[in-house]
Amino acid sequence: MKHKKDWFKELVIYQIYPRSFQDGNGDGIGDLKGMAERLDYLKELGINAVWMSPVYASPNVDNGYDISDYYRIMEEFGTMEDWEAFRDGAHERGIAIIMDLVLNHSSDLHPWFQESKKSRDNKFSDYYIWRDPAEDGGAPNGWLSVFGGSAWEYVPERGQYYLHFFARQQPDLNWANDEAREKILDIVRFWNKKGVDGYRIDAISYLDKGLDGRADMSQAFGTSSCANLEGTHQYIQEMVAKTIAPDHLMTVGEVIVNTPQDAWNYTSASRGEFNMAIPFIPPIVEIETWSPTNFKKNLAETYETLKKDGWWARFLSNHDKPRQVSLYGNDGAYWKESAKMLASYLHTLPGSPFVFQGEEIGMTNIKLPSIDDYNDIDTRNYYKTMLQEGASEEEALRVSQNISRDNARTPMQWNSSVHGGFSLAEPWLPVNPNYREINVEQQLQDEDSIFHFYQKLIRLRKENPVMVYGDFQLVSETEGPVIAFIRSLEGTAWLAVHNFSEEEQKLCWDGVRADSEVILSNYSSREGRDGEIPLRAYETVIVKLS
Ligand code: NOJ
């Protein structure tokens, strides 16, 4: 089948984590000025949209995902003029701007919360979720926050608890309050007027908490027990109708996807919610459960459910996950091969590819020597919980090193000079010491680099509608490390084959001939007979069938 044409489907979205991208004023922290300096680099890579993680005023308990003023830029990142200069520079280069909207919660330093916590009967009292203590004086229910510990915090001034799914400094906003909801929508209207092209909408599955008994109160993990309730969908539809649809902006929601149907509910064109969805999976769960076999199962199921009128956000990395080459590939002996294979997998799938800063040069995980070196609030809390549960310090550190979101947040590696060219000052988070070997400058000079492989894939996508609008059919075996599929559109058919292992594999597929044209591969030669493609370690190959 042919997918309906739409501009958001043709985007290749590059995610910038502003704190770590480029320091423009020499304080060791990335900023908007630095981002603007790197626009030519992004243009050269070929992407046509940038999603920037939050740049609004924030005390940075969760690095910008705790917003104290939605109408101002974080001082460390610059000024509104700097933001406008970045926007204009991006637009001049044909790059769309996608802002991160954090509307499930604010910072506890936001003026609304500062007022709300003072009493039970002021103008802002009901802007957040407050409940009386349980009979024993404890929290209203047993929900745990995503970052560990209870999801409830007691405030003596009100004699009540407020709900926070994330850190206690991130109180959840009350979408059930009509006035609060309108004020929240005003934030979106403000940024629309500023010329934004789209939004990535943070943690949006839990707007309706279901505290009146619709959510499962006995479940400890708050986010899964009350995710995706009907009320949440209604709030999203209202927001989209009032603020997004009139301006035809692009949207990608970060949501909980327990079943393919959940993904369809958020992305179906008929429902008026988002264009695509980023399913949230906690890093520890991803590390423990991912496999090529599970990838294939998921691909098949979601394709069937979404193909009529839904769409996919495709990503292997972001600021909440370990580095993709360390997680799904091999960051040692097969670093280059596996980084390229993952790139090829990402870009050949149906959906819009998201590239997280640094993956285009194969940046890897880092192992910081002590828990004190970690900045990520999630890692620090997780470490504490592990110790409380009896783990040794060595064990807790080892697990933290693997799951930490700081793996993805180390500064961008631009060149082999001090601090990798990110800043002349000591960076807020250490640069990965491998910056001397893995950096942008080196890869720009090397025709065979991971960077150039990404560039080729992005160009191919621009020139070949089959990669965007083509149908998708898996042809590899259900089990095992080879993921192979056909993309087809109006007489054109491409076969994409990816070996997710360092062992040699073989794909048997009748339609392929020994002399079929290779469109792209991470190995320079190909051997094979009619009907089969032998695969070396982490080999990826895109073959033209017709
Ligand atoms: C998801 C964001 O991606 C993550 O970085 C953040 O900590 C939580 N939402 C809370 O806003």
Side-chain angles (χ1 to χ4, degrees), residues 344 453 456-457 460 517-522 540-543:
S344 171
F453 200 77
K456 278 184 202 140
L457 281 161
L460 270 182
E517 180 192 339
V518 173
I519 295 170
L520 192 68
S521 169
N522 56 351
T540 181
V541 53
I542 307 173
V543 173

Side-chain angles (χ1 to χ4, degrees), residues 309-321:
D309 67 348
W311 196 249
W312 306 260
R314 292 293 178 198
F315 64 98
L316 293 169
S317 292
N318 60 37
H319 64 294
D320 291 334
K321 299 181 65 177

Side-chain angles (χ1 to χ4, degrees), residues 401-468:
Q401 286 168 333
N402 270 336
I403 63 164
S404 181
R405 302 187 298 177
D406 285 341
N407 281 313
R409 299 176 180 183
T410 61
M412 185 71 184
Q413 297 166 203
W414 293 104
N415 55 44
S416 58
S417 71
V418 63
H419 304 312
F422 164 72
S423 173
L424 290 175
E426 190 67 28
W428 70 279
L429 194 67
V431 182
N432 194 316
N434 63 19
Y435 73 87
R436 291 181 193 85
E437 298 85 49
I438 302 178
N439 64 64
V440 167
E441 194 174 278
Q442 186 277 331
Q443 295 203 19
L444 286 175
Q445 285 158 16
D446 172 7
E447 257 316 300
D448 185 44
S449 66
I450 300 166
F451 174 90
H452 282 116
F453 200 77
Y454 268 83
Q455 195 186 42
K456 278 184 202 140
L457 281 161
I458 296 170
R459 197 180 308 134
L460 270 182
R461 193 183 158 83
K462 250 181 224 157
E463 291 166 357
N464 296 279
V466 65
M467 286 177 81
V468 182

Side-chain angles (χ1 to χ4, degrees), residues 118-187:
K118 281 186 186 157
S119 69
R120 296 181 184 208
D121 52 14
N122 68 66
K123 182 172 157 44
F124 300 95
S125 317
D126 193 37
Y127 272 43
Y128 294 84
I129 316 269
W130 295 94
R131 287 294 179 274
D132 289 334
E135 273 176 15
D136 64 357
N141 69 24
W143 283 355
L144 294 181
S145 104
V146 177
F147 294 157
S150 171
W152 296 95
E153 183 76 9
Y154 186 68
V155 174
E157 286 123 293
R158 278 186 66 139
Q160 283 185 311
Y161 285 84
Y162 68 85
L163 182 68
H164 61 91
F165 274 168
F166 296 92
R168 93 189 133 70
Q169 298 90 339
Q170 293 168 297
D172 281 44
L173 284 155
N174 183 13
W175 279 65
N177 179 302
D178 294 341
E179 190 184 299
R181 209 164 64 246
E182 265 312 304
K183 286 260 163 52
I184 294 169
L185 298 191
D186 280 345
I187 298 168

Side-chain angles (χ1 to χ4, degrees), residues 82-247:
D82 294 329
W83 182 86
E84 285 162 359
F86 180 80
R87 173 201 60 195
D88 293 345
H91 284 166
E92 277 158 25
R93 291 167 179 82
I95 296 174
I97 299 280
I98 296 167
M99 295 291 275
D100 210 317
L101 276 180
V102 187
L103 305 176
N104 173 72
H105 47 270
S106 73
S107 157
D108 61 339
L109 298 187
H110 192 290
W112 295 344
F113 188 75
Q114 289 293 308
E115 288 304 311
S116 190
K117 71 175 194 184
K118 281 186 186 157
S119 69
R120 296 181 184 208
D121 52 14
N122 68 66
K123 182 172 157 44
F124 300 95
S125 317
D126 193 37
Y127 272 43
Y128 294 84
I129 316 269
W130 295 94
R131 287 294 179 274
D132 289 334
E135 273 176 15
D136 64 357
N141 69 24
W143 283 355
L144 294 181
S145 104
V146 177
F147 294 157
S150 171
W152 296 95
E153 183 76 9
Y154 186 68
V155 174
E157 286 123 293
R158 278 186 66 139
Q160 283 185 311
Y161 285 84
Y162 68 85
L163 182 68
H164 61 91
F165 274 168
F166 296 92
R168 93 189 133 70
Q169 298 90 339
Q170 293 168 297
D172 281 44
L173 284 155
N174 183 13
W175 279 65
N177 179 302
D178 294 341
E179 190 184 299
R181 209 164 64 246
E182 265 312 304
K183 286 260 163 52
I184 294 169
L185 298 191
D186 280 345
I187 298 168
V188 188
R189 294 184 182 107
F190 171 84
W191 285 99
N192 285 357
K193 283 213 196 86
K194 293 222 70 97
V196 163
D197 305 288
Y199 296 104
R200 178 265 187 191
I201 303 154
D202 186 68
I204 201 72
S205 279
Y206 341 100
L207 299 181
D208 174 10
K209 315 294 175 194
L211 273 168
D212 52 6
R214 284 166 300 127
D216 180 355
M217 301 297 170
S218 62
Q219 273 218 30
F221 187 51
T223 53
S224 47
S225 58
C226 69
N228 307 340
L229 294 179
E230 193 40 41
T232 291
H233 286 289
Q234 280 163 12
Y235 292 139
I236 293 173
Q237 285 164 14
E238 178 188 339
M239 172 174 79
V240 169
K242 287 185 173 171
T243 67
I244 306 281
D247 290 333

Side-chain angles (χ1 to χ4, degrees), residues 364-370 373-374 398 401-402 407 410 432-433:
T364 65
N365 280 355
I366 191 170
K367 275 194 172 47
L368 295 171
S370 141
D373 300 319
Y374 282 89
R398 195 188 56 74
Q401 286 168 333
N402 270 336
N407 281 313
T410 61
N432 194 316

